[in-house]
């Protein structure tokens, strides 16, 4: 029989603590909510009232249930109020000495059988536990932000936590409607160990002006389907908390430079820019604690008319190639009203592409997303050719041929001879340096990367890659064209992986390393990222879809270009590729897809 928890204590009512109070009170458990001062108690109470009022307004909570929920919370200053609770969860700032002091005090105040839990994200639960005389009753219960919403709880068992305590806490999490994964005491546990290197990398992109905050966030939301971009997430977590987590992970987790907090974070914390909770972080919020972003001096001021001007003069577009990307891109341009000249290496290939475009447009008709007349008009706008000379009068060329530098360079040299002056020449390369392609022409200022995502007709993102020679006018035109295609164009520099792949693949690679180290299972790691961070797919599901060979190739490129030791491909990934386990396409990758 699992232990019955009738009352719990929560210490620290900040970003996490206030949410944890709500989780317990919602599930019929009495809560003693403790802070250091009356002001801090009031802030915690306001957070809970605000959150439950919003739930009532949205019809998710009945007013009577809200009142009952609020009545279950006993607000107090000081730890002495926790003398008779069954469990305490500590959620004070991420400092080891502070947590140790609190645990020593809790040990003195609480009943002997009380379980003492920490919500730490990165500190050693073991080190916290030895500040008490009951380390076997100390455990990590790591909730995710916002605690009432996110389903995951990481339960951290130290080498001395008793099996009974683990089982009791697991049963409690189930009662709270949470999904738990139980793991051992390692810096960052599962989710943060995979998340924070990515967040820190995103901040370094901003710090080095590689891309704007809006573009970095839009890229990850639209390119990977994440619920929020990394910089908005940093604001939600709190920059002070994020700094401490990174710093601890750096020191505890083998001094991986990717966890050394980017200097900008420390500067912002020192300046009081802590994120949502202080009303300003990477973004500016309506008021402290508000989720509503308001414009500030960094908000881009691209007007509709500026975008419209940018597309001025582009009516006819050439698309070179006959693969998946070229096919999708032809469809996208034709549907958006452009005249398209498709150039392939022969009539047979053109016929194949034509069939593929027609099939895809027909699917749109069947799904009621496209009228028959619009489909016919789109098809009617495409001319099929096997000679580059037909690109003599186009206004924009999008190249989507095989990912080989020599082939692309030769093609761009030909385009340079054939196309009229002033034409924008774009490459869809996902891994080659755009500048190499640009320098194969006499007009590098007109060359830009337009990195579409697969499937192009569906994915809303395009990375616009500007080289050090790309003119501002070319970039503006590229942005305007993306807008006319109904896509979000994000601008970035000419570095391996651009924004999305550079941020995504090291995280996937880290997940493989975590599996390889036997810290957790593929299922639990996938669960943690989906339920703790709201990712649409876990890393192993995604790797199997993308293909392990493709993932390995991208990771190798990133490693070779950036020489970051932490980017070295995981040996397990290499072995699986060598073994022919490439993911769904071969029936087996991290999982066996032949058995259902
Ligand atoms: N922010 C996140 O997204 C997140 C997610 C999961 C876990 N965590 C972890 O949760 C813990 C709390 O982080 P946070 O972001 O909520 O921090 P926070 O700064 O928002 O809140 C901490 C609260 O603790 C209070 N406090 C400080 N000393 C205290 C004491 N002696 N007694 C009682 N209260 C005290 C502070 O007044 C403050 O209200 C940290 O260990 C953090 O790593 C944070």
């Amino acid at each position: 029989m699992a232990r019955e928890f009738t009352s719990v204590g929560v210490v620290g009512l900040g970003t996490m603590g206030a949410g944890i109070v709500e989780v317990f009170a919602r599930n019929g458990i009495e809560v003693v909510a403790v802070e250091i001062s009356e002001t801090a108690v009031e802030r915690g109470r306001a957070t809970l009232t605000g959150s439950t009022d919003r739930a009532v307004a949205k019809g998710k909570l009945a007013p009577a249930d809200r009142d009952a929920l609020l009545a279950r919370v006993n607000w107090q200053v000081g730890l002495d109020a926790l003398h008779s609770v069954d469990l305490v969860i500590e959620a004070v700032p991420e400092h080891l000495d502070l947590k140790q002091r609190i645990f020593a005090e809790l040990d003195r105040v609480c009943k002997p059988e009380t379980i003492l839990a920490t919500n730490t994200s990165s500190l050693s639960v073991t080190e916290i536990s030895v500040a008490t005389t009951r380390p076997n009753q100390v455990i990590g219960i790591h909730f995710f932000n916002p605690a009432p919403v996110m389903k995951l709880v990481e339960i951290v068992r130290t080498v001395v936590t008793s099996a009974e305590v683990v089982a009791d806490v697991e049963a409690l999490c189930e009662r709270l409607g949470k999904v738990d994964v139980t793991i051992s005491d390692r810096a960052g546990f599962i989710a943060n160990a995979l998340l924070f290197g990515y967040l820190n990398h995103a901040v370094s992109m901003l710090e080095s002006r590689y891309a704007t905050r809006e573009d970095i966030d839009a890229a990850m939301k639209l390119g990977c389907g994440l619920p929020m971009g990394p910089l908005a997430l940093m604001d939600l977590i709190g920059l002070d908390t994020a700094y401490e987590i990174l710093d601890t992970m750096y020191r505890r987790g083998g001094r991986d430079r990717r966890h050394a907090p980017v200097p900008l974070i420390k500067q912002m914390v020192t300046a009081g820019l802590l994120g949502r909770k202080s009303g300003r972080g990477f973004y500016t919020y309506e008021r402290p604690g508000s989720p509503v972003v308001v414009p500030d001096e960094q908000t881009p001021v691209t007007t509709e008319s500026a975008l419209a001007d940018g597309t001025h003069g582009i009516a006819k577009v050439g698309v070179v190639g006959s693969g998946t990307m070229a096919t999708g891109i032809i469809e996208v341009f034709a549907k958006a009203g452009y005249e398209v000249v498709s150039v392939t290496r022969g009539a047979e290939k053109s016929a194949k592409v034509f069939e593929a475009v027609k099939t895809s447009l027909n699917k749109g008709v069947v799904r009621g997303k496209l009228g028959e007349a619009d489909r016919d008009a789109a098809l009617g706008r495409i001319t099929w050719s096997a000679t580059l000379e037909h690109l003599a009068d186009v206004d924009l060329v999008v190249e989507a041929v095989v990912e080989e530098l020599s082939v692309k360079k030769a093609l761009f040299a030909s385009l340079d001879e054939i196309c009229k002056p002033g034409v924008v020449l774009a490459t869809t390369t996902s891994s080659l340096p755009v500048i190499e392609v640009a320098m194969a022409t006499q007009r590098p200022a007109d060359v830009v990367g337009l990195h579409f995502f697969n499937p192009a007709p569906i994915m809303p993102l395009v990375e616009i890659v500007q080289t050090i020679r790309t003119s501002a006018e070319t970039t503006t035109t590229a942005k305007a064209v993306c807008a006319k295609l109904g896509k979000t164009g994000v601008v970035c520099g000419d570095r391996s992986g651009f924004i999305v792949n550079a941020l995504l693949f090291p995280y996937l690679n880290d997940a493989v390393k975590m599996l390889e180290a036997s810290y957790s299972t593929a299922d639990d790691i996938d669960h943690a990222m989906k339920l703790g961070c709201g990712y649409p797919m876990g890393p192993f599901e995604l790797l199997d879809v993308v293909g392990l060979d493709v993932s390995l190739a991208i990771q190798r490129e990133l490693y070779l270009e950036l020489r970051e030791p932490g980017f070295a491909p995981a040996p397990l990934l290499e072995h699986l590729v060598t073994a022919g386990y490439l993911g769904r396409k071969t029936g087996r990758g991290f999982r066996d897809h032949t058995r259902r």
Side-chain angles (χ1 to χ4, degrees), residues 14-16 35 43 94 99 119 121 142-143 145 237 241:
T15 309
M16 289 309 293
E35 259 289 353
R43 208 181 46 224
E94 192 77 342
K99 295 203 190 248
N119 184 49
S121 308
H142 184 230
F143 285 88
N145 189 3
I237 292 168
T241 303

Side-chain angles (χ1 to χ4, degrees), residues 225-300:
L226 303 187
M228 52 170 55
L231 302 172
L233 179 54
M234 288 286 284
D235 275 359
L236 175 69
I237 292 168
L239 268 67
D240 49 347
T241 303
Y243 177 85
E244 295 301 333
I245 294 173
L246 280 165
D247 192 49
T248 315
M249 286 184 42
Y250 174 70
R251 285 186 282 104
R252 277 187 75 205
R255 302 198 177 247
D256 182 340
R257 278 185 39 228
R258 292 177 305 151
H259 292 140
V262 169
L264 178 63
I265 304 175
K266 182 67 182 221
Q267 289 160 28
M268 291 176 70
V269 171
T270 309
L273 309 179
L274 305 184
R276 275 193 200 181
K277 62 182 161 191
S278 70
R280 188 154 173 205
F282 289 107
Y283 295 92
T284 302
Y285 299 85
E286 213 171 23
R287 61 191 137 66
S290 163
V292 181
V293 173
V294 293
D296 59 19
E297 65 275 11
Q298 282 178 53
T299 307

Side-chain angles (χ1 to χ4, degrees), residues 375-576:
R375 172 201 57 196
D376 297 343
L379 280 173
R381 279 185 213 110
I382 311 171
T383 4
W384 304 94
S385 160
T387 23
L388 287 174
E389 275 65 27
H390 282 134
L391 300 176
D393 65 343
V394 300
D395 309 305
L396 161 70
V397 179
V398 181
E399 163 277 312
V401 303
V402 66
E403 190 77 341
E404 260 175 48
L405 189 56
S406 56
V407 177
K408 293 202 193 258
K409 279 169 86 165
L411 175 61
F412 272 74
S414 305
L415 291 174
D416 193 22
E417 305 212 324
I418 294 163
C419 296
K420 356 177 247 202
V423 167
V424 172
L425 301 177
T427 169
T428 57
T429 181
S430 36
S431 59
L432 300 169
V434 177
I435 188 67
E436 294 263 9
V437 177
M439 295 311 286
T441 74
Q442 301 296 314
R443 41 175 125 176
D446 301 338
V447 178
V448 71
L450 277 184
H451 185 227
F452 285 82
F453 287 71
N454 188 15
I458 293 171
M459 295 297 285
L461 184 72
V462 179
E463 285 173 320
I464 300 171
V465 186
Q466 51 181 5
T467 74
I468 40 174
R469 298 284 298 262
T470 308
S471 73
E473 202 187 335
T474 302
T475 305
T476 310
T477 307
K479 270 201 224 172
V481 169
C482 289
K484 192 164 171 209
L485 295 175
K487 308 275 184 206
T488 299
V490 296
V491 179
C492 63
D494 185 19
R495 259 196 246 160
S496 180
F498 311 136
I499 301 175
V500 174
N501 286 356
L503 291 178
L504 178 68
F505 283 87
Y507 142 75
L508 296 175
N509 193 49
D510 284 347
V512 181
K513 288 183 185 166
M514 184 179 273
L515 181 71
E516 198 168 18
S518 299
Y519 179 61
S520 187
T521 62
D523 286 351
D524 275 358
I525 297 172
D526 276 355
H527 260 126
M529 297 318 289
K530 285 198 288 190
L531 302 176
C533 306
Y535 282 31
M537 275 191 212
F540 298 104
E541 279 176 276
L542 186 56
L543 280 160
D544 274 5
V545 169
V546 172
L548 273 56
D549 50 342
V550 173
S551 306
L552 178 61
I554 294 173
Q555 191 60 29
R556 274 201 187 125
E557 289 281 345
L558 288 170
Y559 178 55
L560 288 179
E561 179 165 312
L562 302 169
R563 305 281 164 173
E564 168 57 61
F567 286 176
L572 176 61
L573 186 60
E574 311 225 20
H575 292 176
L576 289 165

